């Protein structure tokens, strides 16, 4: 492997890791927010069902 291929490969790995490091926490936060919203809806529906109208 020539020096240029090594440098290009190193930069490619670096930018792939940088992208992963940027998007992974946002994806996890979005999933957590969705789970919280779904749990709140379930609890609201359960509370509405339990109280007599």
């Amino acid at each position: 492997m020539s020096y240029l291929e090594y440098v290009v490969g190193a930069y490619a790995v670096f930018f792939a890791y940088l992208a992963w490091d940027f998007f992974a926490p946002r994806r996890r936060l979005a999933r957590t927010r969705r789970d919280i919203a779904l749990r709140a809806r379930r609890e609201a529906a359960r509370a509405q069902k339990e109280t007599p109208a």
Side-chain angles (χ1 to χ4, degrees):
M1 182 176 348
S2 73
Y3 183 72
L4 177 63
E5 293 167 344
Y6 173 77
V7 171
V8 169
Y11 272 98
V13 168
F14 170 73
F15 284 117
Y17 180 79
L18 198 62
W20 176 260
D21 194 43
F22 180 79
F23 288 113
R26 282 159 181 73
R27 187 173 159 207
R28 188 173 358 136
L29 181 61
R31 187 181 317 132
T32 302
R33 285 180 176 164
R34 182 183 47 115
D35 291 344
I36 290 169
L38 289 173
R39 182 181 300 151
R41 281 188 212 141
R42 282 193 309 263
E43 289 176 0
R46 187 180 305 131
Q48 188 177 28
K49 192 184 273 187
E50 290 175 357
T51 57

